[in-house]
Amino acid sequence: MKAPANVISHVRGESEFIDDIPPMQGELYVGYVGSPVAHGELLGVEATEALKVPGVRACFTASDLHHTNWGTIVQDQPLLVEKEIGHIDEPICVLAAETREALEIARRLVKFEIKQKPAILALDEAIAKKSFLHAPPPFKRGNIEAGLKNSRHRLKGVFHIGGQEHFYLESQASIAYPLDGQQVKIVSSSQHPTETQHVVAHALGLTYNQVICEVRRMGGAFGGKESQAAPFAAMAALVAHRLRKPARIVLTKDDDMKTTGKRHPFQTHYEVGFNDNGEITALKLKLYADGGAYTDLSPSILDRAMFHSDGSYYIGNVFIEGWVCKTHTHSNTAFRGFGGPQGALLIESLIEDIAQHLRQNGSPIDAAQIRLTNLYGKETRNTTHYGQLVENNLLPDLFEKALKSSSYLKRRKAIDQINRDSEGLLHGLAITGCKFGISFTTRFLNQGNALVHVHRDGTVQVSTGATDMGQGVYTKIQIATARSLGIPDDMVFVTSTSTEKNANTSPTAASSGSDINGMAAKVACDKILFRLKQVAAFAFEANTASIAEIETLDWRNAD
Ligand code: QUE
């Protein structure tokens, strides 16, 4: 295969990101002004001085929006603060200016009247004050209290996991164009064009068919542009719609890092019971996720952490509770793994603690052996704490193979020796397996979308619900389409994802983008091929028997 178009333009530096799009005549720059406090009541906005800056065209507040609140699961987050301030740098008003310079000067001149309130900034405080956004039903299996009581050993403690900034190379960015018929077109750096379309429509009081959102590519996303691209698109759209001018918002890295959500910090309170051979017999957990100020995707992220708290290990007696805590910080959001890492990290760390505990109590067993002992089985010990049968379990064999092929035990011995001799730096070694649930837990989202056009020169255009964030999904879609149609890869061009062509799409997320949208492209190609075969049969005057045969075929069986 020749290098796909996307690859060539990336390597040449020709790939266009949002802020590379040349400005249109009359285009305005848009920026927000954020809260200087983490928690408080907004009493007034004073923009007189800002509006005097030459080139500044408008200042909009929450009262200019048709619908202020947005949110993927619960609509509890204001696009612009109406009254209650939830976190530092939370957008309060939007400015539009003819130049970036005027915008930046004006942003510093807006004054707010705010009654400051005490803020909850740490998980400890949120837990103590029961400041919660969500609490799902717990997972229960076996008898946790008896399980703990009957284990030879028990460990109890609190495990802390910090947050993480996505640090995508391209900050949140959108351009909004006012079209006739009150339509608005958004080009955005978004993993979720459909949600951006919906949030913009709600914000402006438009119907969904009046809003188009197109995504060509993102300069990285990692979950950070799944829900949180939409509010910035809405700010640009507000300016474009009200002033009838194209409007561009491109956050600086500083603003992006201050105001957008991150990976959820977690605090997990644990009690684990185990025997002399390292077999884990009971696990009792309370997971506290720092959701920040608003719900965003936190309930699904906490779910996933609770689903992954078993790692790849069978545990007979389990009790897992979870809470999304409300703190006065940016609203935390999707981030690669989506709670899975926060769930699975604890049990892996516990296994190291168990190995250490057993070593100190006269039963030295290597952590790798403890992992092997506890792995889900193939025929028994093969249901999870959420009731799923672990099928086609390759892990026990794979684990043993990896142990051997990596010379784990030999290396372990060498490292133990180095550590015994060392007076400073210690070396470490670990081998772990992983069970990860791909696809959306909100199951209706596991659906793809594709539009395939065959042009009269035989070349093909395809667009799908999958957005390109640098993961190469357009290349996969190109290959899936070409192979489905039986044509060379370079006869297929993958065009941008747009709500005009790809409506009601799911976000590109949950390890599902290539599979579900690649399959959607294949289904579309199969239908087209089937019709083409019928046409060809007529055109080439195939005998009537074979035409009749083709007509009875089902495109779903077309190869
Ligand atoms: C990874 C996931 C999920 C996800 C995003 C990821 C997931 C899930 C949702 C979700 C839930 C409710 C919604 C929505 C998305 O997002 O499992 O839009 O309304 O359920 O990156 O695993």
Side-chain angles (χ1 to χ4, degrees):
M1 179 186 181
K2 279 210 307 219
N6 214 22
V7 171
I8 292 173
S9 71
H10 270 23
V11 171
R12 288 184 178 156
E14 289 168 359
S15 296
E16 199 175 58
F17 297 89
I18 295 297
D19 208 20
D20 297 325
I21 298 172
M24 273 201 176
Q25 197 157 18
E27 189 173 296
L28 298 174
Y29 292 94
V30 177
Y32 69 90
V33 187
S35 166
V37 305
H39 186 206
E41 194 181 320
L42 179 67
L43 302 172
V45 178
E46 178 49 66
T48 315
E49 290 304 312
L51 287 167
K52 281 187 195 157
V53 176
V56 172
R57 296 286 295 276
C59 175
F60 295 114
T61 60
S63 61
D64 293 297
L65 293 163
H66 174 79
H67 192 83
T68 315
N69 278 7
W70 74 284
T72 311
I73 297 174
V74 183
Q75 284 74 55
D76 62 352
Q77 180 162 4
L79 290 165
L80 297 171
V81 171
E82 252 180 315
K83 195 164 172 215
E84 180 90 1
I85 293 165
H87 65 88
I88 206 122
D89 208 43
E90 181 170 18
I92 293 179
C93 66
V94 164
L95 290 172
E98 287 161 15
T99 62
R100 277 178 215 241
E101 292 71 21
L103 175 68
E104 288 308 320
I105 293 167
R107 286 178 74 197
R108 284 157 182 78
L109 296 175
V110 176
K111 301 269 179 300
F112 300 124
E113 194 189 338
I114 292 170
K115 190 171 141 206
Q116 198 169 349
K117 294 184 185 170
I120 299 177
L121 299 175
L123 260 177
D124 279 331
E125 198 181 343
I127 296 166
K129 292 191 168 146
K130 296 198 174 2
S131 170
F132 299 138
L133 287 165
H134 178 71
F139 287 118
K140 296 179 199 174
R141 172 157 72 186
N143 183 335
I144 188 66
E145 294 311 330
L148 284 169
K149 210 166 120 226
N150 297 334
S151 344
R152 269 283 282 137
H153 308 273
R154 276 182 294 282
L155 290 173
K156 193 174 170 174
V158 181
F159 189 71
H160 299 264
I161 299 176
Q164 192 181 11
E165 159 65 31
H166 300 86
F167 221 86
Y168 27 68
L169 275 82
E170 182 192 32
S171 296
Q172 302 284 0
S174 285
I175 309 175
Y177 300 99
L179 306 183
D180 58 10
Q182 298 295 303
Q183 270 201 328
V184 178
K185 178 175 176 180
I186 313 286
V187 292
S188 177
S189 182
S190 166
Q191 287 173 255
H192 200 348
T194 295
E195 184 171 20
T196 298
Q197 174 200 24
H198 294 180
V199 171
V200 166
H202 292 164
L204 303 184
L206 299 177
T207 47
Y208 293 170
N209 63 2
Q210 289 178 294
V211 181
I212 302 162
C213 178
E214 179 177 346
V215 177
R216 174 61 191 86
R217 62 169 65 78
M218 284 155 274
F222 318 114
K225 294 172 181 171
E226 190 171 328
S227 55
Q228 300 206 359
F232 303 103
M235 292 176 198
L238 174 63
V239 171
H241 193 59
R242 290 286 292 269
L243 302 183
R244 311 307 301 163
K245 297 278 184 202
R248 173 181 307 230
I249 189 165
V250 179
L251 297 198
T252 63
K253 196 70 188 163
D254 285 13
D255 289 339
D256 193 306
M257 285 180 71
K258 268 194 283 184
T259 207
T260 64
K262 328 250 166 270
R263 184 184 289 290
H264 286 65
F266 267 65
Q267 210 181 88
T268 305
H269 299 223
Y270 64 83
E271 225 178 317
V272 61
F274 50 99
N275 291 333
D276 283 336
N277 64 352
E279 185 201 351
I280 301 173
T281 45
L283 184 67
K284 186 176 178 182
L285 303 179
K286 288 177 194 284
L287 280 78
Y288 297 98
D290 184 347
Y294 304 107
T295 304
D296 197 274
L297 289 159
S298 300
S300 298
I301 290 163
L302 175 65
D303 276 353
R304 188 167 279 270
M306 292 165 74
F307 284 134
H308 288 76
S309 294
D310 56 341
S312 45
Y313 311 107
Y314 174 84
I315 305 163
N317 300 295
V318 180
F319 188 74
I320 302 175
E321 292 174 286
W323 290 267
V324 176
C325 300
K326 178 181 165 80
T327 57
H328 296 106
T329 61
H330 44 251
S331 186
N332 288 320
T333 193
F335 198 128
R336 302 185 88 146
F338 203 72
Q342 290 98 319
L345 198 57
L346 169 70
I347 188 98
E348 298 300 342
S349 170
L350 281 183
I351 286 178
E352 300 294 329
D353 293 349
I354 290 170
Q356 195 179 348
H357 178 92
L358 291 176
R359 198 177 321 127
Q360 285 163 356
N361 288 275
S363 319
I365 305 178
D366 192 89
Q369 182 55 50
I370 299 178
R371 289 191 165 91
L372 203 51
T373 302
N374 285 288
L375 285 182
Y376 277 104
K378 289 186 187 173
E379 305 297 333
T380 58
R381 300 163 45 87
N382 60 352
T383 49
T384 63
H385 58 292
Y386 42 89
Q388 187 172 357
L389 186 67
V390 179
E391 291 170 284
N392 306 316
N393 184 1
L394 302 173
L395 201 48
D397 294 337
L398 213 55
F399 205 98
E400 300 233 31
K401 217 166 150 181
L403 270 177
K404 283 202 190 87
S405 66
S406 64
S407 310
Y408 175 89
L409 287 177
K410 213 168 101 196
R411 290 179 179 192
R412 177 83 255 172
K413 278 202 184 103
I415 280 176
D416 287 345
Q417 189 57 48
I418 291 168
N419 288 345
R420 269 193 293 274
D421 297 344
S422 167
E423 285 171 8
L425 219 55
L426 295 177
H427 289 212
L429 180 70
I431 180 166
T432 70
C434 172
K435 162 177 73 61
F436 190 81
I438 67 161
S439 82
F440 294 94
T441 51
T442 305
R443 289 165 69 170
F444 77 90
L445 292 171
N446 295 308
Q447 54 177 304
N449 178 303
L451 180 67
V452 179
H453 289 306
V454 179
H455 293 276
R456 283 164 65 174
D457 63 357
T459 62
V460 172
Q461 280 176 330
V462 54
S463 65
T464 75
T467 55
D468 170 16
M469 59 196 88
Q471 86 282 43
V473 70
Y474 277 28
T475 304
K476 287 193 184 176
I477 299 292
Q478 183 182 359
I479 294 170
T481 305
R483 301 223 175 136
S484 302
L485 293 172
I487 56 176
D489 294 337
D490 57 10
M491 282 178 74
V492 176
F493 200 97
V494 184
T495 64
S496 60
T497 304
S498 165
T499 57
E500 259 188 321
K501 296 178 289 173
N502 315 103
N504 305 316
T505 54
S506 300
T508 308
S511 321
S512 70
S514 303
D515 289 4
I516 58 177
N517 293 290
M519 189 54 86
K522 182 181 183 307
V523 168
C525 291
D526 289 347
K527 287 187 189 181
I528 290 169
L529 258 191
F530 180 72
R531 291 179 201 148
L532 285 173
K533 281 180 186 167
Q534 281 183 313
V535 172
F538 280 107
F540 295 113
E541 293 177 358
N543 65 44
T544 45
S546 63
I547 292 170
E549 190 190 331
I550 287 169
E551 281 181 336
T552 63
L553 292 176
D554 186 333
W555 61 264
R556 278 174 298 237
N557 300 325
D559 53 23

